[in-house]
Amino acid sequence: FIEGESRKVGEVFIPQALAEAMKSGTLVLLRASIDTRIERIVEEYKIYDEKTYLQTDSILQSMQKVLGKKKTDQLRKWLRKGEFKNIVHVLLEEYYDPRYQYAMSGNEYSLELSAEDLNIAAEKLIRFQNSIISSRDNSLQTAQSKKLN
């Protein structure tokens, strides 16, 4: 499994072959509540020292063109106060989610799952993957049998 990304991730480009494989692959959509997503993001992207604080502040400043000065100033104020959940909430709802929704609007998903409980989601993904593999194996066996006859 691989997370859906555009060909460019930050300053790095995904190799063309991998990007094409991602486009032609089986799509699965994982959903989680805004609160769950905020908790996970705050936990994953901890601001633990001066360097990460300054990097985060710089990123927020760079978003001023999109979010506006007032919103950016508020985000930076929350950063200074350590109110990271507020920052993530605004960035998800007003920046990232609209962009992802637009980018994913034409996608057709073979499976949609709740990702509230990651262990349950992982089990369902593995079962889904196994069913795809089994289906492909059966198709190959059928094709080979037809060639022999």
Side-chain angles (χ1 to χ4, degrees):
F1 298 102
I2 188 166
E3 181 179 358
E5 292 287 354
S6 63
R7 179 117 196 278
K8 186 176 181 198
V9 181
E11 298 301 315
V12 178
F13 282 91
I14 293 174
Q16 184 67 34
L18 178 57
E20 289 173 12
M22 288 168 56
K23 284 182 182 179
S24 65
T26 302
L27 300 181
V28 175
L29 181 63
L30 300 175
R31 294 189 185 274
S33 69
I34 188 79
D35 291 334
T36 297
R37 294 167 59 218
I38 290 168
E39 289 292 331
R40 288 178 182 159
I41 291 167
V42 168
E43 179 65 28
E44 183 71 24
Y45 297 96
K46 290 183 179 175
I47 299 171
Y48 53 87
D49 61 13
E50 185 71 14
K51 182 180 177 184
T52 54
Y53 172 87
L54 292 173
Q55 288 173 331
T56 304
D57 189 53
S58 176
I59 291 166
L60 292 175
Q61 288 179 61
S62 73
M63 298 176 87
Q64 184 170 323
K65 283 184 178 180
V66 176
L67 297 173
K69 181 171 176 20
K70 185 177 179 181
K71 182 74 64 182
T72 303
D73 287 347
Q74 180 62 58
L75 294 172
R76 294 180 70 214
K77 178 181 173 185
W78 286 333
L79 177 64
R80 289 189 296 276
K81 293 170 73 178
E83 297 179 11
F84 307 127
K85 289 182 181 181
N86 291 339
I87 297 168
V88 173
H89 190 271
V90 168
L91 291 177
L92 284 175
E93 286 197 336
E94 297 183 27
Y95 185 79
Y96 290 103
D97 284 358
R99 282 161 180 72
Y100 282 121
Q101 287 170 0
Y102 175 77
M104 297 175 0
S105 63
N107 292 347
E108 290 187 33
Y109 297 96
S110 298
L111 178 66
E112 293 188 28
L113 293 174
S114 167
E116 291 296 324
D117 183 318
L118 292 176
N119 291 323
I120 292 172
E123 290 172 11
K124 290 180 178 181
L125 279 170
I126 290 168
R127 283 198 304 267
F128 180 68
Q129 180 185 31
N130 289 340
S131 72
I132 290 171
I133 292 168
S134 176
S135 175
R136 287 182 184 160
D137 287 349
N138 290 339
S139 294
L140 285 172
Q141 288 174 352
T142 302
Q144 288 174 345
S145 294
K146 287 181 180 180
K147 284 183 181 178
L148 294 174
N149 293 332

